[in-house]
Amino acid sequence: MTGKIPEETIQQIKQSLDITEVIGDYVQLKKQGRNFFGLCPFHGENSPSFSVSPDKQIYHCFGCGAGGNVFSFLMEIENISFQEAVSKLAARTGVALDPALTGDNRNRSFSEEHDQIIKAHELLAKFYHHLLMNTTEGQEALDYLEKRGFSKEQLETFQIGWSLPNWDFTVKFLQKRGFTSEWMEKAGLIIRREEDGTYFDRFRGRIMFPLHDEKGKVVAFSGRSLHDEKPKYLNSPETPIFNKSRLLYNFHRARPAIRKQHYAVLFEGFADVIAAASAGIETGIATMGTSLTDAHIQQIRRTADQVIICFDGDSAGIQAAFRASNLLSDSGCDIKVALIPDKMDPDDYIKTHGAEKFRNNVIDTAMTLTAFKMEYYKQGKNLQDEGQKLRYIEEVVAEISKLKKAVERDYYLRQVAEQFSLSLEALKQQEKQLFFKERKKHSSNERTFQQAPALQASVKLYPAFQTAERRLIAHMLKDIDLAYKVKDLLNGGTFNIDEHQAIFTYLLGFYEGGNVPDSSAFISFLPNANLRRLVSDIEMMMVSEVINDEAVYDYIKEIAQYQKVLEIKEKKQRQVAAEKAKDYQTAAQLAMEIVKLKKELTK
């Protein structure tokens, strides 16, 4: 059971933070005017519509409607309770909290089972690492890794470990520490025998690579056999905390470097990430044996401006790089591709040629996406054959025609013309036909994507009464006196939109509690997530700092008139029903009332 965290403590934490810095740990933000914009972390998008206001200390997404303050952001992004969000942000600011106020409660988003599974993985990762580095049982595996070129620093950094070859060591290890066997089976750490219901270890006699989620928690393992037993790699199954289509290896560790250097290097596997780290590549990430998914791409897009794809140099690696480059490019990423010569993989190249050559000759010389595709389309073709040569030229020109910049198109067309001794004018003519065909096909999407986020927000039109209500709320959030004035002018009436009326009621309660205008604090005061989103949306509106009495009266009149419009509509329906029932007296009475209401509308 948790107590109520004092309001002054919450305010102290909030005032010690800059919301842009907190959100900046999860979303790559760029300043546009007074606000910051980025890709929304709560829904997939290619064009940034997620806005953060450092002045108001709130955020809002014009795409999906998500919005709130620094506490609600952390609650939503990490799926945690308000108490947990306050606790995490308090630790960040150094504000001391009473532990009794932030303990477990019935409303915790993470269940006890979830927490136990995480704790078991964290404990086993430390234990496996200890076995490898400090015991005779792990010496053979340690010798093997050192022969493969792994340094002690790498082993420590990536927490690489060793699992004993026993059938039930992990089972007993976890049971002795109070972990429930049923939960540990669900976690993928142990397996249940069908015949007698007993359990045995999933990972036995393997080099263990912990897999971390975005927050740096161990959520799964990949175990490599020491003597090339099959399967060579054994991975954790999908569990409540592990989904390989969402996890990027080393992302939690690489994220600060990616933000600083503005690019990520995408590898095919974690061995390449580890090898690249030893070569000074701090921005390396990898998928876990799967193709890139939308979840992977959104994760990357929120953090990196550019992605360098560095897959194996064989045919399969080049094919995979082509698929990945298209997916990332379609999402709006700037792509480069680092090709490894002699069909080598990054790990082998570094071991053979050294770290410096890998950085200088592979990563630093990564080619543009178009240059890579020009190489890719040569695969499997004999360019001495006239038919295959023409097909290659058509494919390359089609790719060039998709480029938005005329200078780029001209640059690559000149390369093709020079390589094959062709007329540049003929190539340009063919490219222009394809370019305008492509532009016509995607013109509607282009207009949407190129529109500035702030403009996207402003083109959303509301009925006059709804605009009036929104503008009054926006001003009342800044002015206590205006809030009470609007209450008097409504004279017992209400806003037409139920959510607007709820916000107005809560705002009056907020001010009556002695609070001063503070939209971020008011958002915390609201009990409903939908209301918090709506307030953040209204707060992002461009309104003047002050409002004159004439504008206030006009807004109140607009609200009242809409109520009359609804009343007229309702009376018309009753009039039609009365006429059908041949109740002409009632129909005539309703007609007179409608005329009266219409006259009032024109006053």
Side-chain angles (χ1 to χ4, degrees):
M1 183 80 181
T2 58
K4 181 173 171 60
I5 300 171
E7 182 61 32
E8 56 268 25
T9 303
I10 293 172
Q11 288 303 311
Q12 184 185 358
I13 294 167
K14 185 164 71 70
Q15 288 166 10
S16 302
L17 292 165
D18 181 347
I19 191 172
T20 56
E21 291 181 3
V22 176
I23 293 179
D25 288 344
Y26 301 86
V27 180
Q28 186 175 345
L29 298 172
K30 292 183 179 178
K31 192 168 187 182
Q32 292 185 22
R34 297 177 69 176
N35 293 345
F36 290 80
F37 283 87
L39 295 171
C40 180
F42 304 118
H43 81 288
E45 62 178 8
N46 294 335
S47 184
S49 61
F50 182 83
S51 176
V52 182
S53 169
D55 297 338
K56 299 170 183 175
Q57 290 293 295
I58 61 172
Y59 69 93
H60 180 73
C61 176
F62 297 111
C64 69
N69 60 15
V70 68
F71 298 111
S72 57
F73 176 83
L74 210 62
M75 288 165 65
E76 202 162 349
I77 196 76
E78 295 202 1
N79 192 25
I80 58 179
S81 68
F82 178 73
Q83 282 86 355
E84 289 174 302
V86 172
S87 181
K88 288 195 78 164
L89 292 173
R92 182 176 180 134
T93 61
V95 174
L97 283 181
D98 181 351
L101 301 179
T102 56
D104 291 342
N105 59 49
R106 292 179 185 177
N107 295 322
R108 286 191 65 208
S109 299
F110 291 123
S111 65
E112 183 185 354
E113 177 183 320
H114 184 283
D115 289 341
Q116 288 296 304
I117 292 174
I118 289 278
K119 286 177 183 176
H121 277 85
E122 293 275 324
L123 180 63
L124 279 174
K126 290 175 183 175
F127 185 67
Y128 289 148
H129 183 63
H130 170 75
L131 285 174
L132 176 71
M133 304 299 291
N134 303 300
T135 69
T136 54
E137 290 92 340
Q139 190 61 49
E140 184 184 4
L142 184 60
D143 291 341
Y144 170 83
L145 288 167
E146 287 177 346
K147 285 179 184 176
R148 286 290 308 271
F150 284 84
S151 66
K152 288 283 177 69
E153 184 182 358
Q154 285 176 298
L155 299 177
E156 292 286 353
T157 299
F158 292 93
Q159 285 185 274
I160 299 169
W162 167 251
S163 62
L164 294 173
N166 309 48
W167 279 89
D168 60 355
F169 181 87
T170 300
V171 172
K172 292 176 180 176
F173 179 83
L174 293 172
Q175 286 175 344
K176 191 181 292 185
R177 284 154 182 80
F179 292 98
T180 308
S181 295
E182 290 78 11
W183 288 359
M184 295 307 100
E185 180 195 9
K186 193 180 286 189
L189 297 170
I190 61 177
I191 299 171
R192 186 177 182 272
R193 293 185 178 92
E194 291 293 332
E195 57 269 21
D196 59 6
T198 60
Y199 295 91
F200 63 94
D201 300 358
R202 177 179 296 276
F203 299 102
R204 302 179 306 279
R206 287 179 175 269
I207 296 166
M208 301 296 287
F209 296 87
L211 311 180
H212 300 76
D213 64 10
E214 276 192 79
K215 303 168 206 169
K217 299 290 186 183
V218 180
V219 294
F221 291 99
S222 182
R224 190 198 190 285
S225 61
L226 186 58
H227 301 293
D228 292 333
E229 300 92 343
K230 303 297 182 183
K232 185 177 180 181
Y233 283 98
L234 178 65
N235 296 329
S236 293
E238 300 271 315
T239 71
I241 63 171
F242 172 56
N243 183 333
K244 63 184 178 182
S245 67
R246 302 186 68 85
L247 186 140
L248 286 168
Y249 183 76
N250 198 48
F251 185 78
H252 72 290
R253 195 178 290 108
R255 181 163 51 194
I258 293 172
R259 290 194 186 285
K260 185 177 179 181
Q261 299 177 37
H262 304 294
Y263 72 87
V265 182
L266 180 65
F267 295 99
E268 282 190 274
F270 58 77
D272 295 331
V273 172
I274 296 169
S278 70
I281 307 299
E282 300 176 321
T283 60
I285 55 176
T287 58
M288 289 307 304
T290 65
S291 298
L292 272 178
T293 64
D294 288 341
H296 290 142
I297 292 168
Q298 289 303 323
Q299 200 173 342
I300 294 168
R301 282 282 284 124
R302 293 197 301 265
T303 314
D305 291 328
Q306 184 183 83
V307 180
I308 298 174
I309 298 171
C310 186
F311 287 1
D312 293 356
D314 59 11
S315 178
I318 293 172
Q319 290 283 352
F322 181 77
R323 289 192 299 270
S325 66
N326 282 331
L327 290 170
L328 287 163
S329 178
D330 289 345
S331 76
C333 278
D334 177 28
I335 304 299
K336 284 191 170 185
V337 181
L339 286 181
I340 308 226
D342 304 324
K343 299 184 179 180
M344 300 178 81
D345 62 39
D347 187 14
D348 288 336
Y349 185 92
I350 291 168
K351 287 181 173 66
T352 305
H353 299 289
E356 188 176 351
K357 279 197 172 182
F358 179 72
R359 288 194 307 272
N360 296 339
N361 298 351
V362 177
I363 300 300
D364 290 349
T365 60
M367 57 180 63
T368 65
L369 180 56
T370 303
F372 165 68
K373 287 185 174 181
M374 289 171 72
E375 290 299 313
Y376 171 79
Y377 284 120
K378 289 178 182 177
Q379 283 197 313
K381 290 187 178 72
N382 175 12
L383 297 184
Q384 302 305 313
D385 178 86
E386 188 174 330
Q388 294 185 46
K389 183 194 296 183
L390 287 171
R391 189 161 68 251
Y392 168 77
I393 292 168
E394 286 173 3
E395 289 172 337
V396 168
V397 173
E399 288 292 342
I400 294 171
S401 72
K402 296 175 185 177
L403 297 173
K404 293 178 182 177
K405 295 179 181 177
V407 172
E408 285 185 289
R409 296 197 300 273
D410 183 77
Y411 175 79
Y412 290 112
L413 285 174
R414 287 181 185 277
Q415 282 193 11
V416 176
E418 188 175 323
Q419 183 179 358
F420 295 102
S421 301
L422 295 171
S423 162
L424 179 61
E425 289 307 313
L427 285 176
K428 282 187 174 182
Q429 187 63 34
Q430 184 172 347
E431 179 273 321
K432 277 183 183 177
Q433 291 173 0
L434 291 167
F435 174 75
F436 287 114
K437 182 180 178 183
E438 189 74 15
R439 192 169 71 170
K440 185 177 179 182
K441 180 181 173 184
H442 297 290
S443 58
S444 59
N445 291 338
E446 293 265 337
R447 284 195 297 273
T448 301
F449 291 155
Q450 289 172 1
Q451 196 171 40
L455 291 176
Q456 288 181 6
S458 66
V459 296
K460 191 171 184 180
L461 299 176
Y462 297 97
F465 79 91
Q466 191 171 349
T467 297
E469 292 180 359
R470 285 169 61 86
R471 288 188 172 276
L472 278 178
I473 291 171
H475 285 288
M476 289 189 294
L477 286 166
K478 298 178 174 65
D479 188 337
I480 294 177
D481 294 336
L482 178 63
Y484 287 109
K485 183 174 183 177
V486 169
K487 180 185 178 184
D488 293 339
L489 289 172
L490 284 173
N491 193 27
T494 63
F495 287 137
N496 296 289
I497 305 292
D498 291 342
E499 289 84 355
H500 291 172
Q501 181 60 34
I503 290 168
F504 181 43
T505 303
Y506 280 117
L507 185 60
L508 291 173
F510 179 73
Y511 288 149
E512 285 166 8
N515 295 294
V516 298
D518 183 336
S519 55
S520 180
F522 178 57
I523 283 169
S524 289
F525 181 81
L526 291 168
N528 182 285
N530 288 331
L531 295 182
R532 290 195 289 266
R533 292 190 186 100
L534 185 52
V535 168
S536 69
D537 180 27
I538 291 171
E539 264 290 82
M540 290 294 183
M541 290 170 57
M542 299 293 289
V543 295
S544 60
E545 287 299 315
V546 293
I547 182 172
N548 58 40
D549 288 346
E550 185 181 355
V552 174
Y553 295 140
D554 285 344
Y555 290 148
I556 295 292
K557 182 180 178 182
E558 198 69 57
I559 293 166
Q561 282 188 330
Y562 184 69
Q563 291 169 354
K564 286 187 173 65
V565 169
L566 292 179
E567 194 176 349
I568 291 170
K569 186 177 180 181
E570 185 265 338
K571 288 183 183 294
K572 281 184 176 179
Q573 290 173 342
R574 286 171 55 198
Q575 181 187 13
V576 171
E579 288 172 349
K580 285 183 178 178
K582 297 184 179 180
D583 183 357
Y584 299 115
Q585 185 176 352
T586 300
Q589 178 63 36
L590 288 167
M592 291 172 61
E593 291 174 6
I594 290 168
V595 169
K596 182 182 177 183
L597 286 170
K598 285 183 174 179
K599 284 181 179 178
E600 290 176 3
L601 279 177
T602 58
K603 287 181 180 178

